[in-house]
Amino acid sequence: MSSKKYNMWLQYQPILNTTCKKHYQKMLTTLYVNGNAPTIQSAEQELTDAIFTMLGQRITSKSDMDHATIVIGNIEEISSLLSNDHIARLAEMNEEGYLVIENQGKIIISGNSDAAVLYGVHHLLRNMQLEQDLISLAVFEQPKNQFRMLNQWDNLNGSVERGYSGKSIFYQNGKIVKDKTRIKDYARYLSSVGINAISINNVNVWEEESYFITKKYLPEIREIADIFRAYGITLYLSINFASPMTIDGMSTADPLNQSVQNWWKDKIAEIYHYIPDFGGFIVKADSENRPGPFTYNRDHADGANMLAKAFEPYGGKVIWRCFVYNHLQDWRDRTTDRARAAYDHFKPLDGKFHENVILQIKNGPMDFQVREGVSPLIGAMPNTNQMIEFQVAQEYTGQQIDLCYLLPQWKQILQFDTYIKGAGTTIAEIVAGTIHTYKYSGIAAVSNIGGDDENWTGNTLAQANLYGYGRLIWNPDLSAEEIAQEWIVQTFGNKKEVSNTLGEMLLNSWEIYENYTAPLGVGWMVTPGVHYGPNIDGYEYSKWGGTYHFADRDGVGVDRTKETGTGFTTQYAEPNQNLYNDVSKCPDELLLFFHHVPYKYTLKNSKTIIQHIYDTHFKGFEQVEDLIKKWDSLADLIDEERFKNVQNRLKQQKNNAREWRDQINTYFYRKSGVADKQNRAIY
Amino acid sequence: MSSKKYNMWLQYQPILNTTCKKHYQKMLTTLYVNGNAPTIQSAEQELTDAIFTMLGQRITSKSDMDHATIVIGNIEEISSLLSNDHIARLAEMNEEGYLVIENQGKIIISGNSDAAVLYGVHHLLRNMQLEQDLISLAVFEQPKNQFRMLNQWDNLNGSVERGYSGKSIFYQNGKIVKDKTRIKDYARYLSSVGINAISINNVNVWEEESYFITKKYLPEIREIADIFRAYGITLYLSINFASPMTIDGMSTADPLNQSVQNWWKDKIAEIYHYIPDFGGFIVKADSENRPGPFTYNRDHADGANMLAKAFEPYGGKVIWRCFVYNHLQDWRDRTTDRARAAYDHFKPLDGKFHENVILQIKNGPMDFQVREGVSPLIGAMPNTNQMIEFQVAQEYTGQQIDLCYLLPQWKQILQFDTYIKGAGTTIAEIVAGTIHTYKYSGIAAVSNIGGDDENWTGNTLAQANLYGYGRLIWNPDLSAEEIAQEWIVQTFGNKKEVSNTLGEMLLNSWEIYENYTAPLGVGWMVTPGVHYGPNIDGYEYSKWGGTYHFADRDGVGVDRTKETGTGFTTQYAEPNQNLYNDVSKCPDELLLFFHHVPYKYTLKNSKTIIQHIYDTHFKGFEQVEDLIKKWDSLADLIDEERFKNVQNRLKQQKNNAREWRDQINTYFYRKSGVADKQNRAIY
C-alpha cells in the first residue's frame, strides 16, 4: 500500500521550492555506507528511496568514503572523517546519540550505534521535507529518555482493545498475520520518530495469547522481532502471570514456589533461543481480574522479582504496571479512593524491586481522563525504576472521531514539578532518570493504530499524536506547536495556510474537547464500557471506584482533602499538597477533582462553577463549529480523500459536542436550578 | 428428560391422600377412545401416562363404549352417551368447548373438536392432581378468548431475545434442532393450559430467518407444525416485510406493486403446500429499524392487506404488531410522546384492514414496564380485529432472577374498564371480541422459556407465569390466587404450608418488585439494553422516546395532560381521560406516568412523593428479605434441586433490590435535598 493517507508523515513529496530542490540535488548524489547491520540497511534504503521521491534522482553508491557526498555509518567505522571535537561530542552522548554534519559539501551521518545512524538519516530527511538549508549543518542529538516505547493492545482475534482504527495489523482471526508488510511499514514510521521498544500484545492477556511464549507462536513472533530489530526497535511481550498454570497445568503460580521459578527460567531461556535480543515482559497483574501474586499472599515485588531474576542472564526487563486498584468498589463507600490506589500499593515497596524491573505508571491517578492530576507515585520511589504511561489512543479523549491533539496535555504533565527533590523535580526529569539515577526508565504509551483504516489512525489528524508522541519523548523540550508544525508540513506539504489553520486547530483541540465534556477535572461522565459520548451518571453508582462526581442539588466534586476527604492530596509533596488541598489555591481546572464545592462557588476566573459549566459547554460546541469552518477553508489545499476523512469526523464530533453540551447543561440546570445568565437553550 | 424441575406443573405425582387415591383407582380402570386424530392420540397418551404415574395402575383399552369407565371423543362420535341437555349445552359453546361429566361411575370427556377433548382430559387430570372429587362431575367449559397465543422470540443462532432461561429449544448454531423431543414436551405443557397458537421465531426477523418461508427451511418447519398440531396448537411464523427483496432480490417490497403481491401469493401457496393448516404471519413492520410499508409511502393497512388477501384462500391470518414509534427521538423534544404513538398511527386506519388481519397491541403504551397505563388503542378501533400482547418473559420485571408473579398485573389490565362503549367495556371483553364483535381476537404473549435451563424458565417459580398465562386467558374470571394455588399444588404437591407460604410469596411479588424499582408508574430507570438493575438516568437522554422521567431539584414525572403536556390523556375515553388528566384524581400508582409533580406533593396515601419513594424502597428491600425467610422455611418440603434454584435467585434478587433501593433513594435525596423522616441510610 502506498497512498497519501497511508504514508502518514513520511510522504517524501517532491520538493516544490526550486532553489531548495536544486541545492539538495546538487549535494545528494553519491552515497557511501559503512556496515551492513539490518538497521544500517534500513537507513540506506530509507535514504535512497526518500531522495528519489523528493528529488527525482537516484543516488549512486560509492565504494570509498572520500568520493561520496553522503557518508553514513556507525562511529566506529567512520571516525576518520570526523574531527576530534565531533568525536568528543559524540562520546559524551548516550548510545543512541547521533550527528549530522555538513563539511565542504559532504554530509556525514554517524552515531554511537547502528540505530543512531538510522535516527540521523531521519533527521536529515525531516530537514529536507521541511525544506531547510543543509549547508553548515551541525546536529548533535541524543534522546532524553532511555525507553521510548509503544504498547499495542492488540488481541489474537484481531480486535484491538480501545482501538479506534479497526482491526489489528498483527493478528487476524486468531492467527498472526502471514503478510507482515504492514508491520514493517509501522516499524519504519516508529523508527522515524525514535521509538525503540514495542510490546505487541494486549496487557490483558487472554487464554490463547498466554501461549505466545511457547513454541506454538515463538517462531512467528521471531519474524516480527526481526522486522522491528531492523528499525532499532526491541520487542516485548505482555504475559499472563498465571502462565505456568495456563500453559502447563501447574497447580500454582506462586512466585516464591521453586517449581514456578524454574518454569519461568526455562521459559525465558526458550524465548531467548528464538529471539536473542528479546526485550522482556509487560505484566498487568492483580489488576482488573488479571491474575497476580496477591492470590498467594505475595506482593508485587515478589512477583516482579521472580521474573526479573530469570531475565538476568539475558539482560531482559520486567515492566510491571501499577494500574492496580479495587475495581469492585461499593459506590456507597466514600473512604476508598481509586486515585490513592497505585501509591498506596507500590510506594511501600520502594527498593524491593530487582534492578531490571521497571514500574510503568499511568500519567494520572485515574485512567487517561481528559484532565486529572499527575500521578503522585511518579518520582515517589527513589530506589525503583519507573516509566510513565501515556495513551496515544484517544480512549477518553474522543476516540479518533473528535479532534484532540494530546501534545499540550503531555507537555503539561512532563513539565509538572513534583518538588519531590525540591524545585525542578519535574516528571520529565524523573522519567529521564536524572533525578533518582534509575538504571532504566522512560516513557511508554498505548498505540493508536489499526489496520482497517488505510490511514492507520481512523482520523487522519490522529496521526499527529503518534508522531508527536515519538518526537516529544525523544526531546521533551520541543513545544507542542513545533511538533505540530513539523507534522503538518511533512504530512500535508509546505503550505502556509495549512500550517497556520491546522496548527491552530490542533493546538486548541484539547481545550475544546475539555470544554464540552466533563468539567473542571471531575472526569468520567462518559458512556460506561464504550467511553465515548456523555452519560453523566454513567459511572456514578458503579463498582469501578473513583469515577464518582457526587453531584447533588447544592454542589459537585470529589473531596480528596486530608481534613474531610479521602486524603489523596497527602500523596503529593509540598507545596503541591497544600496547593491541591486548599480549595482557595487549587487550580480551577482541577478543582472538582480535589474538592466538593457549591455550584455558586466562585472560580479564580471569577465565574461561578455553574456559570462556568454553562459557558464552557456552549463555547465548546461553538468551537467545534469553528473547527469545521477552519477545515472547510482548506478544501483546495488538501487531497480529497484526507480532506473528506477529516470533514466526516468533524461532523460526528459536532453531534457529539452537541450531546455533551446539552446533557451536561441540562443535568446541572435540573440539579442546581440556577439559570444561565445568558439565557441560552437548556432543556 | 424427566425430572421435577423439567416436568413443571405436569408432575403427575402419586396421589398421597389414600381415600382419594382408592376412589380414583376404582373409577379409572378402562378406557374407550373415539377417533384417532393426532390430538385424540395425544389425549389418550396423556391420560394413560398420567393415571399410571398418579395411581400406579395401567388403564386398559376397551373396544366398546358401554364397558369403559372412561370414554373420550369428539361429540360427533359419542353423542349417544350424552343426554339431550348435555348435547344442547355443548352446542351452545364454541369449537373448543368441552364437557367432563361423571354419570353412574362412568367419566365422559367430549368436546366440539378433537382439541377440545384434549383440554377436557387435562381438566380431569388437573382435578385429580388437586385431589378433587370426581363423583357427579359436570364440567362445561369453553375458552373466553379465540386466540391464545405465544410468541417465541427465538433466533436461528440459538439465542432468545429477552430470554432468561438460556438458549432456544427450537434452534441451535444456525440450524433448526434435529432432536425435537423438547419441542414436543413444550407443546404438551402449552396444551395443558389451553394455548392454541404459537409463532416460533423472533418478531425481529434477521437475514437468515427471512428464509424460513422458503424450501430451505419449510420441510423442517413442517415437522414442528406436525408436533404442535398434535396438541391443538397452530403454527405461525414471523416474517420480514422486505422478503421479496431479501429472498429473491426484487427491487421493491411495495405492497401496492403487482409483482410484490404476486410474489407473496406464490410464497403463501408454497407454505400451505407444506403446512395445510398454517396459521399465518406475525409482522413487525416499520418498528425499531424493521422494514415496512412506510418506505413506499404506504400505510400499515396497505401492508397488512396485501398479505391478508394472499392468505384468503387458505384461511390464514396476518397478525400485525402495533409497536410502532419513533425510536430515534431527540430527548430535547418534549412534544413527541412515544406513549401516543400506537394510537396516533393506527386509530385513523380503523376499518381499513382486511377481515383476516388482527392488530396485536402491547398491554401498555410503552413497553412492558412494571407499571404503566393500559394502551388506549385497545378497543378504540371498533372495525378492526385486535389482540392484546402480554410478556410472560420478565424483561423489565426481574428477568426471572427476581420473583415477579405477573398474574395480578394481567388481571388488573384485563379488568380495566375503557368505557369506550360505556361501563363494562373492559379489556377482557374487548379482546374476547364481545364488544365490537371482531371476527378474530384474543391474547398473545412473549414466552419465557429456554433450553439451557432444564427447568425451562431459569427460576423455577417463573413457571407460574407461563402456567398462569394459559389459564387466565382461557378463563379471565379465575383469580390470580386461584391460579397460584392450582399451580403450586400441581408443581410442588398438595402441602398446606407450601400452598400458604408460596401463595403469599407469589401474590405479593409484583408489588414488592414495584416497591424497590421505578416509582409511581414513571417506568424505566433500568440499565439500557440489558433492562436489569437500576440506572436512573439510563434512558433520560436516550433516543428511545418516552423513557424520560424529567426529575429535577423540584419534582419528577411526565406531563401527559392535554393542557400542559403531550395530550396523551386525550386518547382515553371519559371518564378515564379526566381521571388521568386531573392530577387530583389520578391514581397514585400512575401519578408520575401522567403528571410532573413536586417532591412535596401529597399522594392520596397521605405521603409526600419523596417520602413515598423512600418508604417503598426501604420496604421493598425488607420484603425481599422476608421472601428469603419464607422460602427458607420450606426447605424440608421441597426437593433440594428446586429449593436451591429458587434460593439462589432470591439471593441475587436481594442484591438487586439493595442496589435499586440505594440508588433510587440517593438519587432523589441528592436532587430533592429532602431528608428521610425516619433518618435511614441514604448515601
Side-chain angles (χ1 to χ4, degrees), chain A residues 622-640:
Chain A
E622 286 162 15
Q623 287 174 309
V624 174
E625 291 185 309
D626 187 54
L627 286 177
I628 291 173
K629 269 187 218 144
K630 283 202 167 74
W631 184 252
D632 284 348
S633 78
L634 303 178
D636 298 335
L637 300 168
I638 288 173
D639 55 292
E640 191 180 347

Side-chain angles (χ1 to χ4, degrees), chain B residues 179-464:
Chain B
D179 178 356
K180 301 189 174 58
T181 318
R182 192 137 185 187
I183 297 176
K184 186 186 166 183
D185 285 336
Y186 186 41
R188 276 184 60 228
Y189 292 113
L190 297 189
S191 71
S192 77
V193 291
I195 298 295
N196 67 358
I198 191 166
S199 59
I200 61 166
N201 62 314
N202 189 357
V203 290
N204 290 313
V205 181
W206 311 116
E207 176 80 17
E208 186 61 20
E209 287 88 341
S210 300
Y211 291 85
F212 272 24
I213 53 174
T214 69
K215 287 186 180 60
K216 184 171 179 189
Y217 291 102
L218 282 169
E220 268 204 284
I221 290 173
R222 168 168 54 189
E223 290 178 39
I224 298 175
D226 291 345
I227 290 169
F228 280 112
R229 183 183 306 109
Y231 289 91
I233 299 166
T234 303
L235 185 131
Y236 288 72
L237 290 173
S238 300
I239 57 118
N240 169 0
F241 190 79
S243 290
M245 301 165 76
T246 310
I247 295 174
D248 278 331
M250 287 176 67
S251 61
T252 179
D254 181 353
L256 299 196
N257 177 295
Q258 186 67 49
S259 317
V260 171
Q261 292 170 356
N262 290 341
W263 188 92
W264 280 111
K265 264 186 200 146
D266 293 347
K267 180 50 63 191
I268 285 166
E270 188 187 355
I271 297 172
Y272 279 91
H273 169 75
Y274 285 93
I275 308 168
D277 60 349
F278 180 66
F281 292 158
I282 316 285
V283 192
K284 176 174 181 175
D286 290 316
S287 165
E288 296 179 336
N289 291 320
R290 297 293 86 207
F294 286 0
T295 309
Y296 311 99
N297 288 314
R298 313 303 181 193
D299 64 25
H300 287 284
D302 294 328
N305 291 343
M306 169 195 57
L307 298 170
K309 280 178 204 149
F311 270 119
E312 233 168 23
Y314 314 96
K317 321 286 184 303
V318 175
I319 300 178
W320 194 268
R321 291 177 87 240
C322 297
F323 189 53
V324 175
Y325 66 97
N326 178 6
H327 67 285
L328 295 170
Q329 189 180 325
D330 190 325
W331 58 269
R332 299 163 190 81
D333 166 15
R334 306 254 310 225
T335 57
T336 304
D337 181 4
R338 171 167 164 187
R340 294 188 60 121
Y343 189 98
D344 286 345
H345 276 291
F346 285 91
K347 166 79 177 163
L349 301 176
D350 186 29
K352 293 194 175 161
F353 289 92
H354 219 262
E355 67 170 14
N356 56 338
V357 174
I358 312 161
L359 299 186
Q360 182 169 312
I361 306 162
K362 288 195 181 191
N363 62 258
M366 296 304 298
D367 190 15
F368 301 134
Q369 300 302 293
V370 66
R371 173 85 64 175
E372 50 181 304
V374 171
S375 170
L377 182 61
I378 303 171
M381 299 174 71
N383 301 306
T384 307
N385 299 321
Q386 292 190 332
M387 290 168 75
I388 192 172
E389 178 179 336
F390 289 131
Q391 193 185 37
V392 186
Q394 291 171 238
E395 179 177 357
Y396 293 94
T397 49
Q399 306 204 345
Q400 290 150 236
I401 296 167
D402 299 29
L403 181 60
C404 193
Y405 177 62
L406 290 165
L407 273 290
Q409 188 196 49
W410 298 333
K411 282 290 291 184
Q412 199 175 76
I413 292 162
L414 291 174
Q415 286 166 355
F416 177 76
D417 196 338
T418 67
Y419 289 94
I420 285 171
K421 280 183 84 173
T425 315
T426 61
I427 297 292
E429 294 302 325
I430 291 166
V431 300
T434 61
I435 304 287
H436 301 309
T437 58
Y438 296 142
K439 180 156 185 186
Y440 305 113
S441 64
I443 302 185
V446 185
S447 170
N448 69 343
I449 68 110
D452 280 2
D453 282 305
E454 200 183 321
N455 73 4
W456 300 86
T457 52
N459 188 334
T460 302
L461 300 187
Q463 295 171 3

Side-chain angles (χ1 to χ4, degrees), chain A residues 554-568:
Chain A
D554 302 315
V556 57
V558 190
D559 186 351
R560 292 192 159 107
T561 64
K562 57 185 165 191
E563 294 80 8
T564 54
T566 68
F568 168 67

